[in-house]
Amino acid sequence: KTLTMLELPPAETLQRLDDLMHELGELEPHFATCVYAIYDSVDGTCEVASAGHLPPLLVRPDGTSEFLDVSPAPPLGIGASPISSRTLRIEDGSLLVMYTDGLVEKRNEDIDLGLAGLRTILGPGSPHEPLDDLCRRALAGVYDDHQRDDIAILMTRLRRIGSDRHVSWNLLPKLTAARRARSLIRRPLRQWGLTDLLPAAELVVSELVTNAVRYTQSKISLRLVLEGGLFCEVLDDSAAPPRLRQAGEDDERGRGLQVVSQIAQRWGTRRTGSGKVVWCELAVPAGRSAIPVIGDGAAIQVGQGEPAAVAP
């Protein structure tokens, strides 16, 4: 969880976790399989990396399905080969299903039979059924099989947020960029009924854009996303991550991220192919029902002799 907070790409996250497990396992070797995916709810892409784990199952809205062909890598704590990822575009309404081998693997039986059985269970019609029901159906007949390992299922129905819930602009790296950014965000915030957030949003956007102008020579992109909270994102072509500095009383600079961290619920930075994104999230006032529900999910974990736990 700590590594994911660094917002690294999935393959790099698993690679660092693998390095850590090698260090921890010097005295007592241990390993684990892992699959890790990041879904972008704006452009509908999903990046997946796997270390020795069974492939996720993608079920499209029309009922067709496939096990995602992610470049294989050894389990964490064992392999020395690099971990890579695959990026694919997900059709709105598709199911993404991740699971442990206890769900599909049975002693004295080819695992391909278990995989085919899971694909049959999650066939036509399943993308439109309640996820809890689908999880329980996948587990049917498994509870009394004492030859199986513990079982975990993670199932989610993915869809992009509406085009009316995000907006972006390109800005020139000039001293006037912050003023231009403040002006641009006023209209969408008023359309979303978030006028009360304008002072805070103008301040954090101004600080993020000013910081980008200071360190980039190319264009800057500004994006607002309304997804649970209000996300303000600034993209530039500098790979250097920002640092939260403790500015002295006489310093003219260095307080921008301090201001952002005090006003926003949370903030962070992530690398892109051409630079980085610095973002922050502002809390949306309670009672604003215009905020859409982006997706839904269900998870079931079953240990031998333990009841199932369902978390919507």
Side-chain angles (χ1 to χ4, degrees), residues 185 189 200-202 204-205 208 222-225 230-234 277-282:
I185 69 171
L189 260 63
E202 288 183 353
V204 296
V205 163
L208 294 180
L222 167 65
R223 184 168 78 169
L224 296 183
V225 180
L230 178 67
F231 289 84
C232 307
E233 303 177 339
V234 175
V277 173
V278 184
W279 61 269
C280 68
E281 179 187 5
L282 298 177

Side-chain angles (χ1 to χ4, degrees), residues 25 50 53 89 92 97 102 105-106 142 144 150 153 160 170 185 208 229 240 251 286 296 299 304-305:
S50 176
H53 204 81
R89 190 167 297 278
D92 285 355
V97 185
E105 188 173 37
K106 186 176 181 179
V142 173
D144 57 353
D150 292 353
I153 308 173
R160 292 169 295 173
N170 290 327
I185 69 171
L208 294 180
D251 290 342
D296 47 14
Q304 294 180 1

